[in-house]
């Protein structure tokens, strides 16, 4: 219980140094660049379906593989970040991600097998999330962490960069172009981060072996509470960000570029609402923000299950769900930053982040399989409403009680 107080003593209540804001800015940029790479295959899913004659399930698998690898990889990467810090891990993750990006752009886009192999290693870019959260958390005092981590979460807008640019670049300059550009940006960030990134003074560094730390993390109640909620909140965001182009093209007969642009709008709104969710959590509590957001998702999914016209009902339903999922994602990590022990924030983030990514892995596969069997997405959206309703009930009962029990001893450090 001593180490959190050491960390907090470097940042008195309400005081945030200019260096902390600089580190937050660099981490957010790195998160965005790595997520840009992580999401390169999603906008091209319909194109690969046509050129390689893929089934709906194969197309869903193609865009989901980077998600699951990036999600599970967050567990060891988060634990390694606790040990070695973001200054070491951010450049490494960024540099390693360059390899699958180049492979996919130059040689790995002519067969499903090659795309799956490249997509598997592309998932490394998705682990950057588990590097940034503990690094940012250590730089900010508890009462400002919700906002800080929410701002860092804006980096998930890297998926919007991919959505807006990938198809256009392929059409204009060929398949390799977006991959080469992304690889170059990753290389620049890897060098800049190696030169400029710093870990917070007094950062709590664990001394236990990796396996022991992971075991201790899995025994923390906040790990599982946050993981369950993040699987719904961020999982819903990821699922829509990777599958929405296919959904709009198949369900509403939109052109590929139009569908990708609409997906980008969904992503941008969710990204903008993430720091809002963290900021609100600092002020009114994460439980209230989560409860309100999940209730909105339930209503939006029920409306969209009826397949209304896109103008205006369908568009409003999707954008409202985007805002709610973004706010809920920010609120979950406000909860983690407040309740997790300082020297385990990375490990907890890894597990919670993995749950969020896994939450995004399953829905595209389910939606593809259901549409293939029923030629309708209604059941999939009803399942989303049911899961969000269950998460809402959990938030209002178990999570609320846990916060009430733990908040006082955590804040008394």
């Amino acid at each position: 219980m001593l180490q959190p107080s050491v960390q907090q003593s470097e940042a008195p209540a309400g005081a945030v140094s200019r260096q902390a804001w600089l580190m937050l800015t660099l981490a957010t940029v790195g998160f965005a660049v790595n997520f840009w790479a992580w999401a390169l295959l999603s906008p091209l899913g319909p194109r690969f379906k046509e050129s390689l004659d893929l089934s709906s399930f194969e197309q869903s698998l193609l865009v989901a593989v980077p998600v699951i690898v990036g999600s599970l990889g967050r567990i060891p990467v988060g634990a390694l970040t606790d040990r070695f810090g973001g200054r070491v891990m951010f450049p490494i993750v960024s540099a390693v991600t360059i390899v699958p990006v180049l492979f996919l752009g130059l040689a790995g886009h002519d067969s499903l097998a090659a795309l799956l192999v490249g997509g598997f290693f592309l998932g490394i870019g998705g682990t950057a999330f588990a590097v940034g959260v503990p690094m940012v958390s250590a730089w900010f005092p508890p009462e400002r962490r919700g906002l800080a981590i929410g701002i860092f979460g804006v980096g998930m807008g890297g998926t919007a960069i991919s959505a807006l640019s990938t198809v256009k670049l392929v059409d204009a300059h060929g398949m390799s172009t977006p991959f080469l550009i992304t690889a170059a940006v990753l290389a620049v960030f890897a060098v800049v981060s190696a030169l400029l990134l710093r870990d917070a003074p007094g950062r709590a560094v664990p001394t236990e072996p990796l396996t022991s730390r992971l075991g201790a993390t899995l025994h923390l109640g906040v790990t599982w509470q946050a993981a369950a909620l993040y699987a719904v909140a961020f999982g819903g965001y990821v699922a829509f960000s990777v599958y929405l182009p296919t959904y709009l093209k198949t369900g509403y007969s939109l052109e590929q570029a139009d569908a990708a642009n609409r997906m980008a709008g969904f992503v941008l709104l969710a990204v903008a609402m993430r720091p809002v969710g963290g900021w609100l959590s600092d002020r009114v509590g994460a439980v209230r923000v989560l409860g309100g957001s999940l209730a909105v998702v339930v209503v939006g999914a029920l409306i969209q299950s009826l397949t209304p016209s896109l103008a205006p009902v369908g568009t409003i339903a999707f954008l409202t769900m985007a805002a709610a999922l973004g706010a809920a994602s920010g609120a979950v990590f406000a909860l983690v930053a407040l309740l997790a022990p300082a020297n385990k924030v990375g490990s907890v983030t890894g597990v919670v982040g993995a749950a969020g990514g896994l939450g995004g892995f399953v829905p595209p596969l389910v939606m593809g399989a259901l549409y293939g069997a029923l030629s309708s997405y209604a059941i999939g959206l009803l399942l989303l409403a049911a899961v969000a309703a269950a998460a809402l009930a959990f938030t209002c009962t178990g999570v609320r009680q846990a916060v009430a029990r733990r908040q006082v001893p955590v804040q008394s450090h």
Side-chain angles (χ1 to χ4, degrees), residues 155-179:
M156 69 185 188
T159 56
I161 300 174
S162 178
L164 290 169
S165 65
T166 302
V167 173
K168 294 176 182 177
L169 287 170
V170 169
D171 288 340
H173 304 290
M175 181 61 71
S176 63
T177 303
F179 295 91

Side-chain angles (χ1 to χ4, degrees), residues 2 37 70 143 145 241 248 264 318 323 339 344 352:
L2 177 60
E143 65 273 13
R145 287 180 191 155
S241 69
L248 292 173
F318 274 121
L339 299 184
K344 291 186 174 65
V352 175

Side-chain angles (χ1 to χ4, degrees), residues 22-111:
L22 175 61
M23 294 304 106
L24 172 58
T25 300
L26 289 171
T28 304
V29 171
F31 182 25
V33 170
N34 279 275
F35 253 42
W36 176 8
W38 192 39
L40 280 170
L41 290 181
S42 174
L44 297 172
R47 182 181 297 261
F48 288 132
K49 181 179 182 180
E50 294 177 2
S51 64
L52 300 176
D53 194 25
L54 305 180
S55 67
S56 294
F57 180 81
E58 287 172 333
Q59 181 188 353
S60 299
L61 182 64
L62 172 64
V63 299
V65 163
V67 174
I68 191 171
V69 174
S71 302
L72 293 176
R74 292 173 188 175
I75 297 176
V77 168
L80 288 170
T81 302
D82 278 340
R83 177 66 181 86
F84 297 107
R87 182 182 184 182
V88 171
M89 294 302 297
F90 242 134
I92 289 176
V93 167
S94 302
V96 171
T97 303
I98 294 172
V99 177
V101 170
L102 289 176
F103 169 76
L104 286 166
L106 298 176
H109 54 259
D110 294 329
S111 71

